[in-house]
Amino acid sequence: MSFCLPYLRLYRRHLSAYTDLCQRHFHLEQIRSLKVTPALPLVRTATTKAAKHEVIVSQSTCIFENLSLEEWLFENTDFENTSYLLIWRNTETVVIGRHQNAWIEANVPLLEQKGVSIARRNSGGGTVYHDLGNINFCFLTSRERYNRKWNLNLVTEAVNDQWMLNLSVNARDNIMWNDMFKVSGTAARLKSKCAYHHFTLLLDVNLNNLQSFLQSPLLGASSRATASIPSSVINLLDVEPQLTYDNVIQCVAQRFLSFSHNSQPQKFAPTISFG
């Protein structure tokens, strides 16, 4: 485990430094409330009182900065009247769940050789590979409005309506294409008064890297840590060539903002940069 320790220390160092930076320079008042014309309705299950919705698009592609921003928002934001959608993506990175063993989940020597980062997030779930072709969505809200199915259905229905894709949410809260190929995993973190739910969307990921980086060479090794469940995956760009990072996040952000209690016609555009 000696190799993993520098990465874990690096994450903690980044988290501390970035939290300090946010506390000095970042205020939620900097985020403009974005509003759009209401879209087609979703079925709201187990939701409570309406909230104002706001979107943050991080311009950083550093896993440590983005995880730190996510954590800072979670720990320092009052979600009583406002829910947020944080959107971000990273350069080549392997992200392991809170209770996982990196040596069991990934090819650590290969990652070291290739200079690929390893990061441990604060949520549970399995190990994932990130690059610029993987979109990350994080829904931050109050505990009473926490609803994984609503979040997942919002993304799938927004994309399906725009591009006629056959995306659906399975019993494990994964997004599937044609009920066969996984295009998104899911994880969450809950506290007494707030929660976040985040998941990826495979748009144009290097699947060769995904396969080689997430295959541990320690055959037969065992651990009491949480194990990932392998799945067949596919890139959405292979299904619909018109998809881009920009038009997907615009589509999803508009759908999210259309459920804000104070919606007014306005076109979505990224409002704040971290980079």
Side-chain angles (χ1 to χ4, degrees), residues 14-251:
H14 272 275
L15 177 58
S16 176
Y18 203 65
T19 299
D20 291 343
L21 175 65
C22 286
Q23 289 173 339
R24 290 196 305 271
H25 300 293
F26 178 63
H27 302 282
L28 289 179
E29 289 76 11
Q30 292 177 280
I31 308 170
R32 287 171 37 226
S33 175
L34 301 176
K35 314 168 191 71
V36 296
T37 304
L40 295 175
L42 289 175
V43 176
R44 292 191 181 220
T45 59
T47 55
T48 57
K49 65 180 182 180
K52 178 182 176 183
H53 284 182
E54 296 187 358
V55 174
I56 306 172
V57 179
S58 171
Q59 299 303 299
S60 172
T61 57
C62 171
I63 181 61
F64 302 108
E65 291 182 350
N66 284 322
L67 286 178
S68 298
L69 173 59
E70 179 182 72
E71 191 66 18
W72 186 89
L73 288 168
F74 182 63
E75 296 290 349
N76 294 275
T77 305
D78 182 2
F79 298 108
E80 181 178 357
N81 299 309
T82 305
S83 295
Y84 295 87
L85 171 58
L86 172 63
I87 304 174
W88 43 283
R89 59 178 176 169
N90 303 305
T91 52
E92 290 184 331
T93 305
V94 168
V95 185
I96 63 176
R98 183 182 182 91
H99 306 292
Q100 291 196 296
N101 184 325
W103 291 89
I104 300 295
E105 299 296 331
N107 191 331
V108 174
L110 179 62
L111 296 175
E112 181 181 26
Q113 176 188 342
K114 298 290 187 179
V116 176
S117 298
I118 303 175
R120 184 186 299 278
R121 63 182 185 269
N122 281 325
S123 62
T127 297
V128 291
Y129 167 71
H130 289 191
D131 62 23
L132 293 179
N134 202 355
I135 307 174
N136 298 270
F137 298 103
C138 180
F139 292 80
L140 301 107
T141 189
S142 66
R143 179 68 179 263
E144 65 176 350
R145 285 193 298 271
Y146 170 74
N147 190 333
R148 290 157 66 116
K149 291 292 188 184
W150 190 87
N151 301 335
L152 293 162
N153 285 331
L154 184 145
V155 172
T156 57
E157 293 192 17
V159 175
N160 284 341
D161 289 348
Q162 185 72 25
W163 290 282
M164 303 296 292
L165 298 180
N166 188 23
L167 299 181
S168 60
V169 181
N170 69 9
R172 296 185 57 84
D173 288 343
N174 296 322
I175 298 178
M176 309 294 292
W177 177 74
N178 273 0
D179 295 324
M180 295 185 298
F181 295 97
K182 181 178 174 179
V183 296
S184 175
T186 194
R189 185 180 177 205
L190 286 73
K191 293 178 69 174
S192 60
K193 294 185 178 180
C194 57
Y196 69 68
H197 170 220
H198 54 193
F199 51 91
T200 59
L201 194 64
L202 297 179
L203 180 63
D204 188 23
V205 171
N206 187 321
L207 297 181
N208 290 329
N209 283 348
L210 184 152
Q211 183 175 11
S212 59
F213 291 161
L214 299 187
Q215 186 167 348
S216 172
L218 302 180
L219 299 178
S222 62
S223 170
R224 290 186 295 177
T226 303
S228 298
I229 300 175
S231 302
S232 298
V233 299
I234 192 172
N235 277 318
L236 289 180
L237 199 64
D238 294 334
V239 179
E240 175 49 74
Q242 299 301 316
L243 295 173
T244 67
Y245 173 73
D246 289 335
N247 63 26
V248 170
I249 68 170
Q250 167 131 347
C251 171

